[in-house]
Amino acid sequence: MTRTPWDPDVLGVLMAPFTGTELPDWMGDALQDGLASVILFGHNTPDAATAGRLAREIHARAEHCVVAVDEEGGDVTRLHAATGSSLPTAWALGEADDIELTREVGKALGDLLAACDLDLDLAPVLDVSTDPANPVIGTRAFGDDPDRVANHAKAFATGLMEAGLGTCAKHFPGHGATAADSHTALPLIDLDAKQFEREHLAPWRIAPWLDSVMTAHVLVPAFGAGPASISPWSRPLLGRAVGGTFQGLVITDALDMAAVAEDPGYGEAAVRAIEAGADLLCLGTSLRRDDEQMLHEAHEALLEAVDSGRLPRGTLRERAARTRDRLHSLRTRRRFVPAPDLEDALDRAEQLGATAASRAVRARQAHLELGPALVVDLRVRAQHASGARAQQLVRALRERGVEAVEPDGPDQVHRAAPLLALTRLPRSDVEEGRRLAELLLRRPDMIVVHTGVPDAAPDHRRLVLAHGGGRTMMRAAVDLLLRGESR
């Protein structure tokens, strides 16, 4: 099949993925022809060393290219996709409510990314998690209070930048009040303008201190029609929210997500995003699509819009030049801030993550003795990019000397061994709630380990609030259970 030659103006506004742990030949060609950015996902980075090898290979092919990663720590991790993150969730940091600790965690993550020669982290999260039924944000947010979110997000971003990393606040104008996941549907936030501004837009006052902002695939009728990421109302709203002082990049959320990929369609969404004022289009993950085809499809859609006159060539060229200029600044920062040794960075993240997590977890009437224990995962939907589910709790228990197993079927929960049940959305997810109710009838003595936000937790007398389901949060929860403390 004959491909249209790469157009440098189009490549200058694209952030593209590829599949696997080896850089494909076609990606090398796109890099040499001017691809602005490459994004790595968990399937690219089974470990930090592989991430570093790939980033260095990309930079060797195209020194200008910014290598991005969607690494929040906690339940959304790429560098620890195989093992679970050593760092806490944002919610745990907000729960500890120590601004200096949050900055130190951001610095530890930044040092780890710098040691892997990565340039841009798609963090911190500025969403205010006001809806306990939110299936996609939850503990990825620093809290449900806009001031707490703003203060901790700024501290986290400060730590990242001290390590030389670029930052990207997400998901503008706010994804915390949604009851749908934009990976699978288009969420609607039906709040009036004043309430939305007070509860969700307020944290975006820190945007001028950050390098970029990611727009969300969300409908907010109070401000305009269409998803924020591909509609012309969102960029002026950002300008008003910060008093016209934001000079960074506007990056779209992944365009392969169903919220926009189904309607108006992947290629059309790319064109509309540029028309709406986006500087850089995140094309998404190639796990369910052909990686080379993803880049070509977005490239062809934009090129056709230019050829038809719909998208003026001058507009696209100016946008690409602006984007490259700001990405060049990020690459310059990254090169001039010394990166630590990778093993040292991994060790520091491990130690600091454990400290932060231990200050955040809470429990009531929940004590566990050494010996056999059963673990049941009642959660229906895995949290976005969360990696392993019940396995994280099982591993944490075994590390502390508890013989933990996952039962093969419901009959085994009648055994005398202590039972721990994992929850995340038992009040809003009908299936998860049903499973919890049925299990409580058989084992009212069980301990519930809740991995979602506290307001989504079930009303059960033996409860652990883990504030996430990642490795370090599960370890902290187990330590608290073995000590038998209530706090």
Side-chain angles (χ1 to χ4, degrees):
M1 178 179 178
T2 303
R3 301 281 195 183
T4 303
W6 294 121
D7 185 291
D9 293 334
V10 175
L11 291 179
V13 298
L14 299 181
M15 174 188 285
F18 64 91
T19 304
T21 58
E22 299 295 331
L23 195 66
D25 291 339
W26 65 263
M27 177 62 80
D29 294 338
L31 288 168
Q32 291 171 2
D33 287 342
L35 181 63
S37 179
V38 171
I39 183 167
L40 301 182
F41 289 98
H43 59 87
N44 303 120
T45 58
D47 51 63
T50 302
R53 174 179 59 78
L54 282 174
R56 284 186 287 273
E57 185 176 354
I58 291 167
H59 289 143
R61 295 284 191 100
E63 193 278 334
H64 69 275
C65 183
V66 161
V67 183
V69 66
D70 190 10
E71 178 66 56
E72 298 172 12
D75 289 350
V76 177
T77 181
R78 311 302 180 183
L79 296 186
H80 291 112
T83 63
S85 179
S86 61
L87 294 173
T89 59
W91 193 282
L93 293 172
E95 183 73 21
D97 202 16
D98 182 334
I99 293 297
E100 179 59 20
L101 176 63
T102 298
R103 185 200 63 79
E104 289 179 358
V105 170
K107 176 64 160 55
L109 177 56
D111 282 341
L112 177 56
L113 300 181
C116 296
D117 202 25
L118 297 165
D119 304 304
L120 172 63
D121 190 16
L122 302 183
V125 170
L126 272 182
D127 301 313
V128 183
S129 190
T130 58
D131 187 348
N134 193 311
V136 67
I137 301 301
T139 59
R140 297 169 64 191
F142 287 100
D144 56 10
D145 176 76
D147 288 335
R148 177 173 293 194
V149 168
N151 293 336
H152 282 277
K154 188 175 181 181
F156 193 88
T158 298
L160 285 170
M161 289 188 284
E162 287 175 353
L165 265 291
T167 56
C168 180
K170 59 190 186 186
H171 308 81
F172 184 81
H175 212 311
T178 62
D181 183 348
S182 51
H183 291 84
T184 58
L186 179 57
L188 168 68
I189 304 178
D190 197 15
L191 300 177
D192 63 52
K194 287 185 178 180
Q195 183 180 357
F196 191 96
E197 289 170 1
R198 182 175 64 252
E199 296 180 355
H200 300 282
L201 207 56
W204 292 92
R205 65 180 183 267
I206 75 166
W209 283 275
L210 306 180
D211 299 300
S212 58
V213 162
M214 176 174 283
T215 50
H217 306 316
V218 295
L219 295 170
V220 190
F223 298 116
S229 55
I230 61 172
S231 300
W233 57 265
S234 61
R235 185 139 193 173
L237 179 64
L238 175 61
R240 294 198 301 274
V242 300
T245 57
F246 179 69
Q247 299 298 318
L249 293 172
V250 171
I251 305 174
T252 67
D253 207 345
L255 295 179
D256 70 319
M257 293 162 64
V260 295
E262 291 183 358
D263 182 15
Y266 180 73
E268 176 65 15
V271 177
R272 290 192 192 182
I274 293 296
E275 291 177 326
D279 299 298
L280 191 59
L281 311 184
C282 176
L283 301 186
T285 176
S286 58
L287 273 180
R288 291 170 296 277
R289 302 185 63 168
D290 179 85
D291 48 6
E292 184 178 7
Q293 179 60 28
M294 287 180 73
L295 181 56
H296 275 283
E297 189 174 338
H299 178 271
E300 294 304 307
L302 289 170
L303 199 57
E304 287 175 9
V306 170
D307 291 341
S308 70
R310 174 182 174 184
L311 182 61
R313 168 65 72 172
T315 298
L316 182 61
R317 182 164 295 160
E318 180 182 345
R319 196 76 51 82
R322 179 182 187 277
T323 299
R324 285 199 172 100
D325 180 66
R326 281 155 178 77
L327 293 179
H328 175 74
S329 297
L330 295 185
R331 284 288 295 133
T332 301
R333 180 199 300 168
R334 174 71 281 288
R335 292 199 310 271
F336 281 91
V337 177
D341 175 77
L342 177 56
E343 290 303 319
D344 290 343
L346 287 167
D347 289 344
R348 173 62 175 160
E350 198 77 43
Q351 295 167 9
L352 189 60
T355 297
S358 69
R359 291 178 56 181
V361 294
R362 303 285 183 263
R364 68 179 184 222
Q365 298 183 41
H367 178 57
L368 189 66
E369 300 286 350
L370 293 177
L374 301 175
V375 175
V376 175
D377 192 348
L378 302 177
R379 299 172 296 180
V380 176
R381 292 175 289 211
Q383 186 146 343
H384 171 54
S386 61
R389 288 157 60 87
Q391 294 90 336
Q392 293 294 353
L393 180 54
V394 169
R395 289 171 187 164
L397 288 163
R398 290 174 179 172
E399 288 171 354
R400 269 54 174 181
V402 177
E403 299 174 21
V405 296
E406 293 183 71
D408 294 329
D411 292 343
Q412 292 194 23
V413 301
H414 290 292
R415 291 168 51 183
L419 176 64
L420 294 88
L422 285 159
T423 62
R424 188 167 73 91
L425 294 169
R427 296 187 180 186
S428 58
D429 191 298
V430 174
E431 180 62 19
E432 184 175 330
R434 182 189 63 78
R435 292 178 183 180
L436 176 62
E438 290 178 354
L439 195 58
L440 281 170
L441 288 175
R442 297 199 298 271
R443 292 293 302 269
D445 64 323
M446 74 179 184
I447 296 171
V448 172
V449 179
H450 183 67
T451 63
V453 301
D455 284 349
D459 184 15
H460 182 59
R461 61 185 180 86
R462 306 187 72 192
L463 179 68
V464 178
L465 297 177
H467 309 306
R471 175 163 56 95
T472 197
M473 303 312 303
M474 289 294 97
R475 284 177 171 175
V478 169
D479 289 343
L480 191 58
L481 280 168
L482 293 176
R483 291 198 303 270
E485 297 179 12
S486 291
R487 63 181 188 191

